[in-house]
Amino acid sequence: MRTFGTVWLGQFISTLGSSLTTFALGAYVYQTSGSVTGFALVSFFGLLPTVLLSPLAGVLADRWDRRKLMLLGDMGAALGIFLIWALFAGEKAGLWTIKIWYFYGPLLIGSSFSTMCFPAWTATVPLLVPRKHLGRASGMAELSAAISQIAGPIIATALLGFIGLQGILLVDAISYFFAIAALFIVRFPTPPRDAARAGRRSLRADIVEGWHFIRERRGLIGLMAFVTITGFIVSMVMLLINPLVLAFTDIDHLKWIATSAGVGMLTGGVVTSIWGGPQRRILGIAALSTMSGFILLLAALPPSVPLIAVSAAVFVFTFPLTSACNQFIWQTKVPPELQGRVAALRRVVFQAMALSVSLVGGVLADKVFEPLMAHDGALAGSVGRVIGTGQGRGVALMFLILSVLVLVNVAVMLMSPRTRNVESELPDALPAHPRIPTVPTPAPADVAAAPRLATGSSES
């Protein structure tokens, strides 16, 4: 657990630093351009490499030294932040005037490197943490995300007045060195690998092997489908909550609602870190998802800041627990030598949902549902009599539809015997105890067979 705790602390500091940049840079882009589309495109280019490169990252996590891969990822992510800092430094020196699209390249670079970290770390955790503590380990990961979500905007707002956006970017870049330092002082256990076999196979064959492992186990396929649909719903809720709130109140109240949601996630992370989750994880996922589905129904009630604040807190409270339950199942059922590829494939599918929502969610709200629920809209005389009409009520209708989708998703999962019984039907693939970390000493054939990162390529 000491190795896990050391790396977790380093990653937490870098995550907090990144949350400062996310908030400050997002505010700069919106205030400078006044464009929601420009703001959305910054998020899009930050997320795109995750979808495109995760399969490659998963293969590398199962072929290479995972600690060194994380080192490479953190160093590259720090480089991306430094390049954004250099853009502002150049503008200050009078060399150019920044345009929003200048950020796309550095964001692609930083995100491409940071994508390498997720499968390497996810695949290593089961080798560092005893099986009984895996739920708590996932809870700690969610806890760091929650703290960053709450503290990031507060700290960034305070720092903007003292050191400005350039200073915040430097703080973020420095925060990565804590993650890098933590990785320098630890050693990761090495999962069993067949070096000769890996050398004969292509990257594509390794990716296909990970997919075949999932496809041949219907319980895991069902769980993956459930989580994918959940990812779409959650991404849509996160996108639509701001328009729902700002339709009837101001940004100050939105800030308090966001803080309330952060407190809910923090509480969920603490509970998960202490408890670890229920014995039957699949039932825990179903129960927590059902709770979140009913919470979304509250959007049909007359709009109220306290109601939405409490609802948002309860809704995101379920995230750490649900995530820990899901992670536990995958980490215990997937062999260590396949963990990287499987984790990466899961992430591709999940993040693809977030990417699609960023492209179509706003269009659906603005062009379809808001007009339907306008005072003279097509649904004003029917649904409008129940949930009201006017600005924001189209988004409220979308929340109701998402609520039904959540409940249907849970019902379909529970009606599938393979998914419902995935924990008992599939054998555990973890060793009885964590492996003792050793300094990896790969054979020359293994080193020669290791694939090289292709600079500037998005091919997976």
Side-chain angles (χ1 to χ4, degrees), residues 183-244:
L183 290 166
F184 265 115
I185 64 176
V186 301
R187 289 293 181 269
F188 285 179
T190 305
R193 295 187 181 102
D194 185 339
R197 186 183 174 201
R200 292 193 302 267
R201 286 190 314 197
S202 65
L203 294 176
R204 181 178 180 279
D206 270 356
I207 296 172
V208 169
E209 183 182 19
W211 170 245
H212 281 172
F213 178 87
I214 301 172
R215 191 184 64 181
E216 291 166 0
R217 290 155 179 81
R218 290 175 58 191
L220 293 181
I221 281 285
L223 180 59
M224 191 177 194
F226 174 86
V227 173
T228 299
I229 295 172
T230 299
F232 175 84
I233 295 167
V234 169
S235 298
M236 191 69 79
V237 170
M238 296 297 103
L239 178 71
L240 297 175
I241 184 66
N242 287 5
L244 179 73

Side-chain angles (χ1 to χ4, degrees), residues 63-68 187-195 436-448:
R63 286 194 180 193
W64 284 5
D65 183 318
R66 291 168 178 169
R67 183 181 68 91
K68 292 180 180 177
R187 289 293 181 269
F188 285 179
T190 305
R193 295 187 181 102
D194 185 339
I436 299 175
T438 57
V439 179
T441 55
D446 191 22
V447 175

